[in-house]
Amino acid sequence: WSQQIQTMRVAPYAGGLGWNIGADNSNNHQAFAVANWGGQQCDLAAGYYKAADEQQYSAELSGALITMDGDIYASRTVTDAFALVDTGQKDIPVMVGNKLIGTTDNHGKLLVPDLYSYLENHLSIDPLELPANVTMGSVEQNLMPRRRGGMHVKFPISFAPSAIVSIYSAPNEPIPAGAQLQTADGSQEYLAGWNGEIYVEVLDKPITLYWAEGQCQVTVTPAKDNTQALPKLGPFYCQHPEVAP
């Protein structure tokens, strides 16, 4: 009779560290330790084995290089089919079925290396991780790649350039709640809330607003970074033009 003790942790599929360590009290006094790292670009593994006076060491690196759309992508080993997910935005979670595969890189892309060929694969992105000012066409797609082939899957994501803008009539004097402002052509009207704040749904370029009651105008400029979730801009100060509009 001999006894063995062993502990292990499976590496998360989305990436991370796993290990397997064990030993026994047999005549050879066997012991082993294996560590593996699963990443989006490759898999790494290292191992140690001992039995009696013999010792063995091992190391392994596995992965694949894939060319698509003029770019080269490092990936885990592709055994069947793959897909290149393209969102245009970084750090977007990507799932196959209900399983998290990883997140998009700085270019908004993620290569999914282990899809089933000639079968329906359900790919999706997690919109709960996206800011409130994001608009998108779809969050899930079904695809059926051919064997040893790949597909380019796009989830177009764009940021609505909306903002909360503070407008003041003078230093430390926000325009009153309920004040109505409008654009020069009168096509858009805005109602001020507390602290002179108005909500502008589309602020992709500077706009000039007129406040008839205060007989003044103000030019509002958009945020430099349109990826911010509903930024607060201002204060912008209402100026009295030489000629009333």
Side-chain angles (χ1 to χ4, degrees):
W1 291 91
S2 64
Q3 291 77 39
Q4 183 185 75
I5 185 171
Q6 182 175 350
T7 180
M8 65 183 299
R9 178 182 187 271
V10 178
Y13 185 84
L17 179 65
W19 68 81
N20 189 0
I21 302 173
D24 64 28
N25 62 352
S26 64
N27 294 333
N28 290 329
H29 296 288
Q30 299 180 91
F32 65 89
V34 178
N36 62 291
W37 174 268
Q40 295 182 4
Q41 288 76 32
C42 66
D43 287 316
L44 299 172
Y48 167 78
Y49 174 76
K50 177 183 180 299
D53 295 331
E54 296 183 359
Q55 299 184 58
Q56 295 179 359
Y57 301 88
S58 64
E60 181 181 350
L61 168 66
S62 60
L65 291 176
I66 295 174
T67 61
M68 178 175 278
D69 296 338
D71 291 323
I72 299 177
Y73 300 91
S75 167
R76 295 172 174 173
T77 302
V78 177
T79 58
D80 194 349
F82 67 93
L84 178 63
V85 176
D86 187 355
T87 66
Q89 301 295 331
K90 65 179 182 179
D91 298 329
I92 303 299
V94 179
M95 293 174 290
V96 175
N98 294 320
K99 181 170 61 178
L100 177 66
I101 300 299
T103 58
T104 54
D105 60 16
N106 290 332
H107 302 287
K109 297 180 180 181
L110 174 68
L111 198 140
V112 182
D114 47 4
L115 299 182
Y116 295 108
S117 60
Y118 307 116
L119 294 175
E120 191 173 81
N121 298 266
H122 183 76
L123 266 70
S124 62
I125 60 175
D126 188 358
L128 297 179
E129 300 293 330
L130 299 175
N133 62 332
V134 162
T135 59
M136 64 191 76
S138 65
V139 297
E140 56 184 17
Q141 296 187 41
N142 294 320
L143 56 148
M144 191 179 296
R146 62 181 178 84
R147 180 165 175 78
R148 300 292 184 181
M151 299 182 68
H152 193 173
V153 185
K154 293 186 177 182
F155 292 93
I157 294 176
S158 60
F159 288 84
S162 53
I164 298 292
V165 178
S166 297
I167 298 179
Y168 281 54
S169 58
N172 300 320
E173 292 185 15
I175 61 175
Q180 291 184 339
L181 298 93
Q182 63 180 11
T183 54
D185 57 5
S187 60
Q188 296 289 334
E189 290 188 354
Y190 302 92
L191 187 66
W194 298 110
N195 299 320
E197 293 183 341
I198 65 171
Y199 170 70
V200 183
E201 184 175 3
V202 179
L203 185 59
D204 54 358
K205 59 183 178 181
I207 59 172
T208 300
L209 303 177
Y210 296 92
W211 180 28
E213 184 179 344
Q215 296 183 340
C216 63
Q217 67 183 38
V218 59
T219 300
V220 177
T221 56
K224 295 181 179 179
D225 182 8
N226 66 350
T227 63
Q228 298 182 54
L230 202 61
K232 290 190 174 183
L233 307 179
F236 297 96
Y237 291 94
C238 204
Q239 305 291 333
H240 297 275
E242 296 181 1
V243 179

